[in-house]
Amino acid sequence: MTTTSPGATEVELAIGGMTCASCAARIEKKLNRMDGVEATVNYATEKAKVAFQDDVSVRDLIATVEATGYTAQEPAPLVPAGGDGTAGGTGGDTGGTAETDPLRPLRQRLVIAVALAVPVIVLAMVPALQFTYWQWLSLTLTAPVITYAAWPFHRAAWTNARHGAATMDTLISVGTSAAFLWSLWALFFGTAGTPGMTHPFELTIARTDGAGNIYLEAAAGVTAFILAGRYFEARSKRKAGAALKALMELGAKDVTVLRDGREETVPIGQLRVGDRFLVRPGEKIATDGTVVDGASAVDASMLTGESVPVEVTAGDGVTGATLNVGGRLVVEATRIGADTQLARMAKLVEDAQNGKAAAQRLADRISAVFVPVVLALALATLGFWIGSGAGLTAAFTAAVAVLIIACPCALGLATPTALLVGTGRGAQLGILIKGPEVLESTRKVDTIVLDKTGTVTTGRMTLLATHTAAGTDEAEVLRLAGALEHSSEHPIARAVAAGASAQVGTLPVPEDFADIAGLGVQGVVDGHAVLVGREQLLAEWAIPLPEELARAKAAAEANGRTAIAVAWDGAARAVLEVADAVKDSSPEAIRRLRALGLTPVLLTGDNAAVARSVAAEVGIDADRVIAEVLPQDKVEVVRRLQQEGRTVAMVGDGVNDAAALARADLGLAMGTGSDAAIEAGDLTLVRGDLRAAADAIRLSRRTLGTIKSNLFWAFAYNVAALPLAATGLLNPMIAGAAMAFSSVFVVGNSLRLRGFQAADQ
């Protein structure tokens, strides 16, 4: 539970007993009638997000839900695996053994319904198979289907009727019960039970007195088809939730805590903020914290997708669930449980799945009034056909067909299933969609503003080039300069040392090392007196730069790079270029963003020369570079672009980007960046790879397209089928099959999103 504003609190409730979108709409309506309460209920996730004032309690909210005929409780908080002392709490069961599998009862009912309904349908459809007493076999097979298999529909219909409501379950229960009861009357009191009776299968309605007609195939078939739709819907929920569960189970299960000078291994749930714990090489870091002792390399690829381990030492922050691949670390816990980065990432996924797009709110409103309208239409159909003299059979059959064909299950599933699958697939690809309203923004975006440092570039100083004087070997330059810089802690020195060791291997150990503040370093390496630093350092030793090195230095500085002079034995030997390197993936990312119809704009606080150089390297037009911008002015840049009529997306990773991310029509935050940026963004790119921005927009657009196609077919189906049923042109069993197929189609269409692939996969 989190406070959202003074005097207001937000809580998430797990709702039980919902069977359709109309149920969700009804609960939402009841909650919103309470003073000071704003609620959103999602049928697909079976959760309600409620904001309420202090004069309302959670107990009051639960009582209101229960008075409406459903159950409610606060779900367990999202914590990494073992974070609550168990195998992990995700606020809902997305896995489970056979004993706790929530699909098991539904699967059992479905299997029984299908096994018994198939022969009933076949007998009704194929007159050649209708032996002497076939109708009584059909009754025997249908009875368990209409009682046991269809019991959830009858129970829900009765519960809703007691509260003066009608839902889609009411339609199913009334329709199947009417068909079954009519068949019983025809068999026991009419002529349908006569030995040798045949019942030809027809799509049109034969207007007779009904005494010889049975509709057992309609009752059994509709039940089986609807149960199949419900089962596939439930499976889609679980498959989408699997990504969330996998994310949560990245965390460590146990931790070695340092207490009173001794090591003690405890479950992760017993760790507290301020505790110091030991992380040995090869172990996962238990929770978010700060290194207090030791130095190591940490592999964060499981969270960020970055393949290169990050060097950490005392004072550096580390993230829970990342892997220690180097030395021994002692870490002080700063966040535990639901406060960790891993848990917050999972919460983003769940919040997205709990949200509602504008299209879904429309579908829910329609569903809320659809059921009573359909019931009225069925009664009107019955009355019309009786009044027109068509006969009770034709009237009854048309009315039952209306009840069955109208069930708007597909309408209720259209948005939630696509959103669940889309956000779940996004989580697997390192793309966290914060809310469903984000999807609408991705469709309209035409301009994408990119922060430079940490977004387009690595955010780390890197050795980019080595310019040598005539007769000087580049490998020798790197070996001697790298050896000297390896002894320095300066970021530029570390960049040189890392670049040198990567190219020439093991570096020698220098002698008489000295750090000259503000100028560079000096020392003896392999018997050579080496100087590495600014040109002024060489000038103090009366060592001038040759003309070719001076030109290289000037060119590097013109491009905004840092130029480092290298000399030994009294002569200048080389100039090294160090800068914040462009990520290898950035040029390809820009091409992909352009292919999506977006215009890239580079925004940075760096000087114009650096910005232009980076823009040229990645393929951004020079007139789309905005440099030397103060953090507070980034918001103004976004606002100015919006005033020009552009729909703006913003990609950033720093605290200074947070306001601009919030201001943009679509904010994409690098998951490797600051918490403030992540919180302000609409989408989080866990990998820190700009190519993921293009993938995120593609996935969001694909999800939105799936939602719209789902809604179109759900609406079109109901609008087209109701007149056919009302005019007596649709057999109830065919109506049931078509209705259930529309739900299965919607779920299947949504599940296609699971096949979405990142462009580089």
Side-chain angles (χ1 to χ4, degrees):
M1 190 185 301
T2 57
T3 301
T4 56
S5 62
T9 305
E10 187 176 279
V11 69
E12 193 176 78
L13 300 177
I15 306 295
M18 290 194 299
T19 55
C20 62
S22 295
C23 300
R26 189 158 155 263
I27 297 170
E28 187 173 299
K29 185 177 180 181
K30 290 284 188 181
L31 287 171
N32 284 323
R33 282 180 177 173
M34 299 175 68
D35 290 336
V37 173
E38 292 183 11
T40 301
V41 182
N42 189 289
Y43 164 52
T45 57
E46 299 180 339
K47 289 180 181 175
K49 209 169 188 177
V50 189
F52 57 96
Q53 299 298 319
D54 288 342
D55 54 350
V56 178
S57 68
V58 175
R59 189 179 298 275
D60 295 333
L61 300 174
I62 292 175
T64 298
V65 175
E66 290 176 344
T68 313
Y70 305 88
T71 63
Q73 62 181 6
E74 288 190 74
L78 279 166
V79 293
D84 56 355
T86 68
T90 62
D93 182 17
T94 54
T97 63
E99 291 76 14
T100 61
D101 182 3
L103 290 184
R104 186 175 181 180
L106 182 57
R107 185 165 52 243
Q108 288 175 339
R109 293 180 193 276
L110 174 60
V111 169
I112 291 173
V114 171
L116 299 180
V118 167
V120 173
I121 294 170
V122 170
L123 284 173
M125 285 184 170
V126 185
L129 298 179
Q130 294 172 2
F131 54 90
T132 304
Y133 294 104
W134 72 273
Q135 66 271 47
W136 296 102
L137 175 62
S138 292
L139 176 63
T140 303
L141 295 175
T142 302
V145 177
I146 205 67
T147 53
Y148 170 72
W151 176 246
F153 308 133
H154 304 319
R155 181 179 56 203
W158 172 246
T159 299
N160 288 316
R162 285 189 359 235
H163 292 87
T167 68
M168 285 179 281
D169 285 297
T170 305
L171 291 180
I172 298 167
S173 179
V174 170
T176 56
S177 298
F180 183 72
L181 293 173
W182 180 276
S183 300
L184 285 178
W185 178 86
L187 285 169
F188 286 99
F189 302 103
T191 60
T194 304
M197 184 274 286
T198 59
H199 194 187
F201 175 75
E202 297 177 352
L203 291 178
T204 55
I205 301 301
R207 297 175 180 172
T208 68
D209 62 4
N213 292 313
I214 58 174
Y215 299 101
L216 296 172
E217 78 279 7
V222 166
T223 300
F225 283 125
I226 294 173
L227 281 173
R230 293 269 171 101
Y231 178 72
F232 289 121
E233 169 202 349
R235 279 189 63 192
S236 75
K237 293 182 191 178
R238 285 167 57 80
K239 287 179 180 178
L244 180 60
K245 184 181 180 185
L247 197 62
M248 297 308 301
E249 291 192 342
L250 288 175
K253 306 296 188 297
D254 299 303
V255 57
T256 302
V257 181
L258 301 178
R259 290 176 177 163
D260 301 325
R262 57 188 177 84
E263 299 177 5
E264 180 181 350
T265 301
V266 299
I268 187 67
Q270 296 182 18
L271 189 65
R272 297 290 177 262
V273 172
D275 282 351
R276 294 191 174 190
F277 59 92
L278 177 65
V279 188
R280 299 180 179 88
E283 292 183 343
K284 286 183 178 180
I285 295 174
T287 193
D288 297 0
T290 302
V291 177
V292 294
D293 185 37
S296 182
V298 174
D299 180 2
S301 59
M302 64 181 69
L303 287 180
T304 67
E306 294 287 343
S307 58
V308 180
V310 178
E311 298 290 336
V312 296
T313 186
D316 291 336
V318 289
T319 304
T322 55
L323 185 66
N324 178 21
V325 297
R328 176 183 183 274
L329 293 175
V330 176
V331 179
E332 182 175 310
T334 56
R335 292 173 177 163
I336 60 170
D339 293 329
T340 63
Q341 182 178 337
L342 180 64
R344 292 203 314 275
M345 286 167 54
K347 190 68 169 68
L348 282 174
V349 177
E350 188 177 55
D351 285 347
Q353 293 176 345
N354 282 342
K356 288 189 179 183
Q360 176 61 20
R361 287 193 291 270
L362 173 63
D364 283 352
R365 286 197 298 271
I366 293 174
S367 295
V369 300
F370 194 73
V371 173
V373 168
V374 167
L375 289 174
L377 180 60
L379 290 174
T381 300
L382 181 67
F384 172 79
W385 284 107
I386 292 174
S388 66
L392 190 59
T393 298
F396 171 79
T397 306
V400 170
V402 167
L403 291 173
I404 295 170
I405 198 72
C407 182
C409 291
L411 195 63
L413 299 176
T415 296
T417 53
L419 194 60
L420 279 163
V421 180
T423 54
R425 180 59 182 151
Q428 292 174 332
L429 296 174
I431 301 165
L432 307 182
I433 303 174
K434 184 173 286 187
E437 63 281 352
V438 171
L439 303 179
E440 288 286 347
S441 301
T442 61
R443 179 176 60 88
K444 303 172 185 175
V445 164
D446 55 26
T447 302
I448 186 162
V449 177
L450 307 170
D451 171 58
K452 181 185 75 69
T453 306
T455 302
V456 176
T457 65
T458 63
R460 301 187 304 272
M461 301 301 286
T462 305
L463 177 62
L464 299 179
T466 302
H467 305 277
T468 59
T472 302
D473 179 57
E474 181 177 335
E476 182 72 358
V477 170
L478 292 175
R479 196 173 69 86
L480 297 180
L484 207 56
E485 293 282 50
H486 192 267
S487 298
S488 173
E489 293 300 318
H490 193 281
I492 292 178
R494 296 179 69 175
V496 172
S501 62
Q503 295 186 48
V504 302
T506 304
L507 301 173
V509 178
E511 304 172 22
D512 298 329
F513 172 82
D515 193 334
I516 313 301
L519 293 178
V521 293
Q522 64 184 46
V524 176
V525 182
D526 288 348
H528 299 286
V530 183
L531 301 173
V532 182
R534 296 178 181 272
E535 186 179 0
Q536 295 94 309
L537 178 62
L538 274 63
E540 290 187 358
W541 290 80
I543 301 174
L545 280 180
E547 184 178 348
E548 67 269 27
L549 293 184
R551 285 198 302 269
K553 175 178 177 294
E557 291 175 343
N559 287 326
R561 297 177 176 178
T562 299
I564 303 168
V566 181
W568 67 78
D569 297 340
R573 309 285 182 167
V575 167
L576 309 178
E577 287 188 35
V578 174
D580 179 8
V582 170
K583 293 179 179 178
D584 294 338
S585 59
S586 291
E588 174 63 21
I590 299 302
R591 285 193 290 273
R592 293 182 189 176
L593 291 169
R594 286 188 184 278
L596 291 170
L598 306 179
T599 301
V601 175
L602 187 67
L603 180 64
T604 180
D606 274 355
N607 65 66
V610 173
R612 283 194 299 268
S613 174
V614 170
E617 191 171 344
V618 299
I620 296 177
D621 298 337
D623 61 346
R624 298 295 179 187
V625 176
I626 305 173
E628 300 178 16
V629 178
L630 296 175
Q632 59 269 30
D633 293 335
K634 289 187 175 183
V635 179
E636 283 303 316
V637 171
V638 172
R639 183 181 288 114
R640 187 171 69 248
L641 290 169
Q642 290 170 330
Q643 289 172 347
E644 293 173 2
R646 299 177 179 274
T647 303
V648 180
M650 167 81 185
V651 187
D653 73 325
V655 174
N656 61 343
D657 299 319
L661 287 168
R663 172 67 192 183
D665 299 287
L666 177 68
L668 297 94
M670 290 293 191
T672 50
S674 70
D675 291 348
I678 292 172
E679 290 298 323
D682 301 306
L683 292 163
T684 299
L685 312 177
V686 178
R687 288 182 289 164
D689 184 337
L690 190 56
R691 287 176 298 186
D695 291 332
I697 292 173
R698 281 199 307 117
L699 175 60
S700 297
R701 288 179 176 178
R702 179 84 61 84
T703 304
L704 180 64
T706 300
I707 289 173
K708 291 190 171 182
S709 65
N710 284 349
L711 286 173
F712 170 79
W713 287 111
F715 276 113
Y717 166 80
N718 283 288
V719 170
L722 273 174
L724 289 175
T727 52
L729 299 176
L730 212 54
N731 182 290
M733 198 274 294
I734 299 298
M739 183 277 300
F741 174 77
S742 69
S743 294
V744 174
F745 171 82
V746 163
V747 173
N749 191 40
S750 298
L751 286 174
R752 290 170 58 235
L753 289 168
R754 295 176 63 226
F756 178 88
Q757 297 291 331
D760 53 348
Q761 289 186 337

